[in-house]
Amino acid sequence: QKEVEQNSGPLSVPEGAIASLNCTYSDRGSQSFFWYRQYSGKSPELIMSIYSNGDKEDGRFTAQLNKASQYVSLLIRDSQPSDSATYLCAVNNPGGFKTIFGAGTRLFVKA
Amino acid sequence: ETGVTQSPTHLIKTRGQQVTLRCSSQSGHNTVSWYQQALGQGPQFIFQYYREEENGRGNFPPRFSGLQFPNYSSELNVNALELDDSALYLCASSLGQVEQRTYEQYFGPGTRLTVT
């Protein structure tokens, strides 16, 4: 079992729709969770962090965390073609010093 | 506020050679982590430096080593290069270990290493 698992996609959604990206993790002691966006040929960019169970909203982005199910998700509302990228889920080990990334989900937003 | 910078941007080396990659952390950040990202994969954790000491290491052999300097800039050294070392090497800086928010990492643009 991979430490952080994501559906590789591609996930294709029409412009204006909600894109839903999912991630599961294996270490129940993990406390810090992140979503990064990576455009082709560029480095990852932090878009959301979440530390407590529930939802956290920032503009068009909502991160959801369920520690009991070891599940993290990212919702992107009113998806735009500029949102087309690879979305990386990242989880810190309980000690905090090691960040484990999933392989990423490719998202395509069709105009 | 100055972001994370890395040098060089691209590098081509021959198998068996040694390479040094450099990273300047974001202003105010005292923690630097290095990652290797192969094509189509997520970044793989190599190691982290906090206040000039190695703070944790991933599953990479000892020929991957690093340093952090008093100004919190950092180097990644790779000896005896292998073909599989060809990848994008990413440096990320963060505030440290005071509270959870300080685990948020900000990446530099990366160094693309090709080993032939």
Side-chain angles (χ1 to χ4, degrees), chain A residues 3-21:
Chain A
E3 293 176 280
V4 178
E5 291 206 60
Q6 297 181 253
N7 187 325
S8 62
L11 173 66
S12 184
V13 300
E15 184 174 359
I18 296 175
S20 178
L21 305 163

Side-chain angles (χ1 to χ4, degrees), chain A residues 44-91:
Chain A
E45 173 192 10
L46 178 67
I47 54 173
M48 291 288 287
S49 59
I50 187 166
Y51 305 104
S52 304
N53 279 329
D55 295 358
K56 178 182 178 182
E57 186 174 320
D58 183 0
R60 295 186 297 112
F61 299 100
T62 299
Q64 300 174 316
L65 174 61
N66 184 326
K67 290 185 180 179
S69 300
Q70 296 173 242
Y71 178 89
V72 193
S73 66
L74 179 70
L75 300 177
I76 306 174
R77 289 181 300 281
D78 188 24
S79 295
Q80 301 297 309
S82 59
D83 294 326
S84 298
T86 295
Y87 289 80
L88 298 163
C89 173
V91 178

